Amino acid sequence: MTDERLTHLLHDRISQERVGQPPLHAMHRDAARRRRGRSAVVVAAVGVAMVGGLFAATGDDASPQPRPAEVATASDTPPAGFRWVGIGAAVVAVPHEWGTNAVRCGTPERDTVIVDQGAVCAALFPFPADTSAVEVRPRYSVDDRDGYTETRVEGEQALLSPVECPRGRTAGAHTCRRTLVLPARDIVFAAETSRGRAALDDILARVAILDQDVAVPGYSLLALDHQGRAGAAYSEALRDAGLQVKIVTQTRRGIEPGYVLGAVPSPGAVVEAGSRVTVTVVAAPSGPGDEIVMGMAGNRGGQDIDVSDDRLRRNPTVRLAVGDRLWTYAHGERQRTYGAQVSGHAIQEDGWKDGPNYPNSWIADRPGRSKIELSIEVDGERLVLGTVTVVVR
């Protein structure tokens, strides 16, 4: 075959192909993937005779061909000005200036990617104008796939929903939404925008599959489903994703030990495979005092009083005026033994014997000071957890 004949064949073949708008970021990623194997192919071709062609040198007299330099892959690098967010190897490129979980009850407050959102409050808020969002989440069993069309994401099967532009759903800007599903990974990319239908395709066109790096999986759904077993379940999910795990504990009274409180790097962040993720879980109780959560509330001059468990254990001072009311409560395994011992005459029992907190409820009776000692019973003895000083003016 001559060079001229080869040129004609290539021209004829190209003329039969349909050419669309080039997805530049995908082209750069695919090119980087191929570089790793290309040098080996070229080196193997050295010494092969091609008639009338590129390599005419054969045998011992041939001049040695230089080995191409190894090119470092950049296939896991996001487009300039963007960052990856996702689950495992499935990611989407979002602009650096976009927020992460910048939502209010599930509704975006500005451009944002939503990942590992967990439980969402039921209130509806208006979708802002000139705003886009994309949520990355596991595919739920109730997800409806009627009307989806099959497509590909870097060679992997994907399903693309029809565009929906519902009206009257909430107040605020009119929005359109579309979903891309990766069935083999059970991952969904759900885009919504008030910038028009074209913006949806622009967002979903940036979905990619990473070669080596990995996005940190989320824990919110595991925490809801597994509660105290969430730490173990999340650690397993991280290891399955090729990541290492470090567990640290934090005391949170009233929350089941083992419940996941957080992770660093945060869910959705892309890291190198084998990186370590530090997971914070609720510590086991260190003693009987950790098996109860206390609180104190009241009314001071028409304003509510709210004293947390942590503050009560630091022996706080509460200031009241004559006639103000104060009460304490608790929950947990030892709440039935919870009680309060009052010293001083500034406060008295409020006398509401049918009240929910009686006898641990009081009224400010006269100027002065009283102390309220808060305790539980352990092995027949009282264990003091905190003392509140009440100053009445």
Side-chain angles (χ1 to χ4, degrees), residues 340-349 359-360 362 370-373:
Q341 182 68 39
V342 177
S343 61
H345 302 287
I347 61 174
Q348 302 291 331
E349 285 185 6
N360 298 323
W362 309 273
S370 288
K371 288 186 179 293
I372 305 174
E373 190 177 79

Side-chain angles (χ1 to χ4, degrees), residues 29 32-33 36 73-76 89 154 209-214:
R29 284 172 48 81
R33 283 196 182 98
R36 286 173 289 179
T73 177
S75 58
D76 284 353
E154 299 188 17
I209 308 297
L210 299 180
D211 283 339
Q212 299 175 4
D213 293 344
V214 60

Side-chain angles (χ1 to χ4, degrees), residues 219-220 222-223 227-235 247 255-263 279-282:
Y219 60 82
S220 292
L222 289 175
Q227 297 294 313
R229 293 177 288 110
Y234 187 44
S235 295
I247 299 292
I255 303 179
E256 189 173 353
Y259 186 87
V260 178
L261 298 173
V279 180
T280 302
V281 302
V282 175

Side-chain angles (χ1 to χ4, degrees), residues 126-137:
F127 199 103
D130 194 30
T131 299
S132 296
V134 58
E135 181 179 11
V136 189
R137 61 171 173 82

